[in-house]
């Protein structure tokens, strides 16, 4: 589906603010944030993609990266608005 057909797309990195915005807009009340299955520390995240490998992955998944960037922009605009 085209991204523009969705009324709301939440971003994991913005979970709390996006949940608040979604619940207020569509449920008329603020839902309580629940966090389950969260890793204990940032160091447990594993290796991050860097350099050439990251470029290759982003190129291979260019359409997905584009959707993600557009969804990020929509989330940022929602936070400003």
């Amino acid at each position: 589906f085209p991204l523009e057909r969705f009324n709301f797309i939440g971003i994991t990195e913005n979970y709390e603010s996006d949940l608040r915005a979604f619940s207020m807009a569509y449920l008329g009340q603020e839902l309580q944030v629940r966090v389950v299955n969260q890793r204990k520390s940032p160091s447990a995240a594993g290796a991050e993609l860097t350099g050439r490998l990251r470029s290759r992955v982003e190129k291979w998944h260019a359409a997905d990266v584009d959707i993600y960037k557009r969804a990020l922009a929509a989330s940022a605009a929602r936070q400003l608005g």
Side-chain angles (χ1 to χ4, degrees):
F1 298 107
L3 193 65
E4 295 74 24
R5 293 189 65 188
F6 290 91
N7 290 330
F8 188 93
I9 296 176
I11 303 295
T12 301
E13 297 90 333
N14 303 335
Y15 175 68
E16 290 185 31
S17 60
D18 281 356
L19 178 64
R20 187 178 310 111
F22 176 85
S23 64
M24 292 303 294
Y26 296 98
L27 305 175
Q29 62 181 346
E30 188 171 331
L31 295 178
Q32 181 178 355
V33 173
R34 291 184 43 194
V35 179
V36 295
N37 197 23
Q38 184 177 30
R39 68 175 165 241
K40 302 292 182 204
S41 68
S43 63
E48 297 232 357
L49 294 178
T50 58
R52 187 168 179 231
L53 179 57
R54 182 181 184 99
S55 295
R56 290 177 62 201
V57 169
E58 287 180 355
K59 183 177 179 181
W60 182 264
H61 296 282
D64 295 323
V65 171
D66 178 60
I67 291 169
Y68 175 69
K69 287 179 179 178
R70 291 169 45 211
L72 279 176
S75 179
R78 207 174 33 249
Q79 290 178 19
L80 294 175

